[in-house]
Amino acid sequence: MKDIILDSMSELIASMDVNFNFTYFNKTYHSEFKKIFGPDLKIGDNILKKLSHLPKDQKKVEDIWGRAIRGEEFIVIQTLGDTNRERNTYEISYSSVKDDKGEITGAMHIVRDVTIRENLRQKAEQSMMAKQRFLSSISHELRTPLNSILGFSQLISYDKEKKNSELYSKSILRSGKHLLGLINDTLDYNKIQEGMLSVSPEVINPYELLVDIVEDMKNYALENDVKLYMNCDEHKDINIIADNQRYKQIIFNLVSNAIKYNKKNGSVEIKSKNENGMLIVEICDTGIGIENSDICKLWEPFDRLSNEATSIQGTGLGLTITKMLADMMNGVLDVKSEKGKGSVFSIGFISTTKTPVNIAKEYIHTKDDIFEEYTGKVIYIEDNTFNVVLMTNIMEFNFPKVQYEYSYDGHNAMKKICETDPDVILLDINLDGCNGIDILKNIRKNNKFSTKKVIMISADVTENIQKKCIQNGADAYLSKPIIIPAFLRTISPFLKKSDE
Ligand code: ADP
C-alpha cells in the first residue's frame, strides 16, 4: 500500500546510503531520472557512477547529497538535465535518514518540478524590470517639456512689458505639443505591449492621406528650412488594405522624422512605386543619415541614437510604434541610410482592386476662412471649467458674430438645447455622471434636432471612439487637447456666413 501511494505521487522521492548508493526510489523518480540524465536505475546503483557522463551535475549531486548525509536539512532550487535538452527547474528538499538509535544511515530527497512556476516568476520579474526602466525613462522625458512649460509660463508673468511674451508662448506651445506626442506615444506603446491595441484594416486610398499629411506638415517643414515634395500622382488610384488612422500615423511619423533629422535647406521627397502587387511609399530625406551599425537599434524603445543630447525633440518611441503597427497590418517597413547623406524609409502594403469605403475625417478643410463673417448659434456642453473658458475665448476671438452659449450640466443638456435651438452642438463625452454619446443618441432620436450639427469633443482616446460617435450620428469628432486651426476648420462649414 505504502509503495502504491509513493509510486502514484508526482513528486520524485529517493533515498541513498552514506556511499551514494540508492536504497529507494519511487516510480516517478525512476522514469524522470532516465529522462533527465539518461541511464536506467536499479536499487543499489551508485548515483555518482551513473552521472559520470555529466561531470558538472555529478559534482553538484556529490556536494548536495554530501550535506544531507552530514545531517543538514535544506531546500534547493536546481536546474538539471542534459545541456542539449531542455533543462527543467526543480525544488528539492533534502534531509538525512536515521536508524532507531538516531545514527545517520543515509539521506533522502523529495523533488518537485517547478519549471512552470519558475518561468512565470522570471517573466514577472523581467516585466517588472522593463516597467521600472520604462517609468524611469518616461518620467525623465515628461520632465523636459514640463520644465519648459512651467518655466516659460512663469517668465510670461514677469514680462510685464510683454517684450518676450510671444517667444515664451511659442515655447509653451511647442513643449505642450511635445508632451501631447509623448503621452500619445506612451499610450500606444503600452497598448501594443499589452496586446490591447487593435487595428481595423479596410480598403483605403493612400494618395488622399498623403496629400492631407503633406498639407499638415508644410509649416513644420518650413520652420525647419526643409523643402517637402510629393511625387505619387502616378499611383493615385491604387488602394491598399490598412487601418486608415494607423497608416496615417506611420507616414506622419516617417515624414516628421525625415524633416526633424534633416539639414538646413535640405529636402524630403515622398515617392511611390508599385512593385509585385505592393504599393510602396518611400520617404527620402537629405538629412543626417544613420550609421550602419545603428540601423538595428532604430526599432528599440527609447533609443534615440545619441540624439538625446541634441535640441531635436523626440521620445525614441516613434519608430518602435511605427514598426509594431506595420507588423500588425502586414506592412513591410524598410530603411536604407548613409551617415551624413540621408535616409530612405519605405512602407509597403499589398494593393487591392477593391474600392475604399467612405471614411469620416477628423476635420474638413476649407480654404476661404475669414471667420469674423460667420454667424449662427453654438452651444457647448462641457463640465470642465478650464475647457469651457478655453472654448469661450476661442469662439469669442474667432467668431465675434456667432451667438455662443455653454452649459456645465449634461443631465439637462436636452432641455438647454431645446431652449437655445443652436445650429451647432459641441458635446463632451465624459460628462459628470452622464455620457455624451447618450445625449447624442437622444438628439438624433428627436426629429426637431435631427439636422443639427453635432461635434463631439473628447479626451477619450480609447479605440474606435471616433467611429462610435460617427455611427451614432455625430457630424465630426475632435480629440482634446483642441488644436485651434483644426477646430476652426471643423466648425466653420456648419455655420452661416453673414452675406449668405
Ligand atoms: P524620436 O522621438 O527620437 O524621433 P524615433 O523612434 O522616431 O524617435 O526615432 C529613433 C531615432 O532614430 C531618432 O532619435 C533618430 O536618432 C533616428 N532617426 C529616425 N528617423 C531618422 C531619419 N530620417 N534620419 C536620421 N535619423 C533618424
Side-chain angles (χ1 to χ4, degrees), residues 388-406:
V388 169
V389 171
L390 178 67
M391 183 56 77
T392 307
N393 279 286
I394 296 173
M395 288 302 296
E396 284 175 358
F397 187 79
N398 291 286
F399 298 108
K401 292 185 186 162
V402 168
Q403 247 180 286
Y404 167 78
E405 283 191 36
Y406 56 83

Side-chain angles (χ1 to χ4, degrees), residues 378-395:
V378 174
I379 184 164
Y380 185 28
I381 316 282
E382 162 70 84
D383 57 357
N384 180 287
T385 319
F386 289 114
N387 290 338
V388 169
V389 171
L390 178 67
M391 183 56 77
T392 307
N393 279 286
I394 296 173
M395 288 302 296

